[in-house]
Amino acid sequence: MPITIADVAARAKVSKTTVSRVLNGKGELDESTAARVRAVIDELGYVPSSRAVGLARGRTRVVGMLVPSLTWPWIGEVLQGAVDVLETERYGLLLFTCNRGEESMRQFGAQVSAKSFDGLLVIEPEGTLDYIATLHRRGLPVVLIDDRDQTSGEIPSVGTTNHDGAGSAARHLLEIGRTRPLVIAGPEQFGCTRQRLAGFASVFAEAGHPITEDRRLPGDFTVARGVAGVQAAIESGVEFDAVFAHNDLSAIGAMQALRDAGRRIPEDVAVVGFDDIPTAAHTQPPLTTVHQPLREMGEAAARTLLAHFEGTPLPNRPTVIPTTFTTRPSTTA
């Protein structure tokens, strides 16, 4: 049978309350008594319930993290950044996904009600922002890792420069002489899609090469839509010498369709993505892309939450970590 706190108290000839105080470092205790209790704990190999200790301390030392799914390639980078910070500070992570829709959210809500974690990091599953905001208003510390650029500012967030990142892609294409880009967008309801469209289009317009409607294609951040977008453009006779995709997966799909159509990359068509997921460096040819600071965003969000636990107010404005630009052979032979 497992060793209990009652066993420790009986062997040390103290009360269970005294054992609890030793475990939690609370209250005035005679040092010889505390030493005797610690010796018995070591002798019996007693391991206290982390949940019980957390409740006694008023803190679980666990952070929750809610994400849509683990299938998106960039989520692992954000997650690793958060974990690096949490583990360094001896916090645990309780991870929730929305793979099963409403059932997943019910399970998540039960853990919120049980106060299983001290605060929450969120990569917003679509349609849950109002619920997350309600939890925050009710007192749950929340930091949003905002990949969609659509927050109202009510929830503290960490984001990046979608508009400027897309602008850097446009300037690069103009510098290498490409003036007729095809744009494969992200989901239109996402703020990041609007920001990337605006940042890219404004640079081309200022250079005297406005992007016409026939070269702006809807997308959904998948390889399949990247393939379909380029195929549709070729079949309809749209002339283009570059592709700017709103994420790397769409860019990879575009490259596949270009190869299938016999078009050389980058000689005939230069291709630029957005994210800089690990796969981007290993495509054929390697993909030029806007580097999102994914791991840094996870780190910053975790640090913000932990600082709040130590008394620092949550920020009332987004933390913005800028994008950078990574040039590879998909644009420069």
Side-chain angles (χ1 to χ4, degrees):
M1 293 181 62
I3 303 298
T4 67
I5 195 170
D7 297 325
V8 174
R11 178 70 66 90
K13 296 182 172 54
V14 297
S15 68
K16 290 191 291 184
T17 300
T18 297
V19 176
S20 179
R21 286 176 175 171
V22 171
L23 290 169
N24 296 307
K26 288 185 175 181
E28 296 292 333
L29 286 173
D30 176 73
E31 183 53 39
S32 63
T33 300
R36 185 168 75 253
V37 171
R38 285 193 288 267
V40 170
I41 289 171
D42 290 341
E43 176 189 345
L44 297 180
Y46 172 62
V47 178
S49 161
S50 59
R51 177 166 172 77
V53 172
L55 290 173
R57 291 175 175 168
R59 185 181 297 179
T60 65
R61 294 193 71 83
V62 172
V63 166
M65 188 165 184
L66 177 65
V67 303
S69 169
L70 296 179
T71 58
W72 284 93
W74 56 265
I75 282 184
E77 290 291 299
V78 177
L79 181 60
Q80 188 61 58
V83 167
D84 287 345
V85 171
L86 295 175
E87 288 186 347
T88 298
E89 298 300 325
R90 300 185 182 279
Y91 272 76
L93 179 71
L94 193 55
L95 181 63
F96 303 91
T97 71
C98 284
N99 290 327
R100 296 187 305 280
E102 291 184 5
E103 181 184 349
S104 295
M105 291 306 295
R106 281 195 298 271
Q107 293 177 350
F108 169 71
Q111 294 298 316
V112 173
S113 299
K115 298 183 178 180
S116 299
F117 43 87
D118 300 327
L120 183 65
L121 302 174
V122 180
I123 300 173
E124 181 218 340
E126 190 170 0
T128 64
L129 191 59
D130 289 344
Y131 174 56
I132 299 304
T134 298
L135 294 179
H136 183 58
R137 286 194 294 269
R138 290 175 178 173
L140 179 67
V142 177
V143 177
L144 189 66
I145 302 169
D146 182 22
D147 64 307
R148 298 180 183 177
D149 201 21
Q150 61 183 11
T151 58
S152 64
E154 177 183 0
I155 305 174
S157 65
V158 176
T160 191
T161 49
N162 288 291
H163 185 283
D164 292 347
S168 67
R171 284 187 290 274
H172 173 70
L173 290 175
L174 287 168
E175 287 168 1
I176 62 173
R178 307 304 170 103
T179 59
R180 295 169 296 162
L182 190 71
V183 178
I184 302 175
E188 62 180 12
Q189 71 269 27
F190 290 175
C192 66
T193 295
R194 295 189 291 273
Q195 290 291 324
R196 292 172 193 178
L197 275 172
F200 189 82
S202 64
V203 171
F204 268 88
E206 289 170 6
H209 303 287
I211 298 172
T212 55
E213 287 296 325
D214 61 342
R215 288 193 274 116
R216 296 184 183 185
L217 304 178
D220 61 3
F221 288 158
T222 65
V223 171
R225 287 299 289 271
V227 171
V230 168
Q231 287 177 339
I234 292 173
E235 290 169 3
S236 63
V238 174
E239 295 185 0
F240 60 95
D241 58 9
V243 174
F244 172 53
H246 280 191
N247 77 330
D248 289 344
L249 290 182
S250 298
I252 290 168
M255 292 168 73
Q256 178 182 324
L258 290 168
R259 285 193 298 269
D260 291 346
R263 302 208 181 179
R264 298 169 301 163
I265 306 168
E267 292 84 357
D268 300 325
V269 181
V271 181
V272 180
F274 202 113
D275 284 340
D276 201 14
I277 61 175
T279 306
H282 304 288
T283 57
Q284 284 300 322
L287 179 65
T288 292
T289 185
V290 180
H291 175 82
Q292 279 209 85
L294 299 168
R295 187 168 296 206
E296 294 90 337
M297 289 164 68
E299 292 172 351
R303 288 196 189 99
T304 298
L305 201 55
L306 297 190
H308 176 69
F309 297 157
E310 299 303 320
T312 301
L314 288 171
N316 57 11
R317 63 180 59 186
T319 299
V320 178
I321 304 174
T323 58
T324 55
F325 194 73
T326 302
T327 302
R328 297 193 180 103
S330 71
T331 58
T332 54

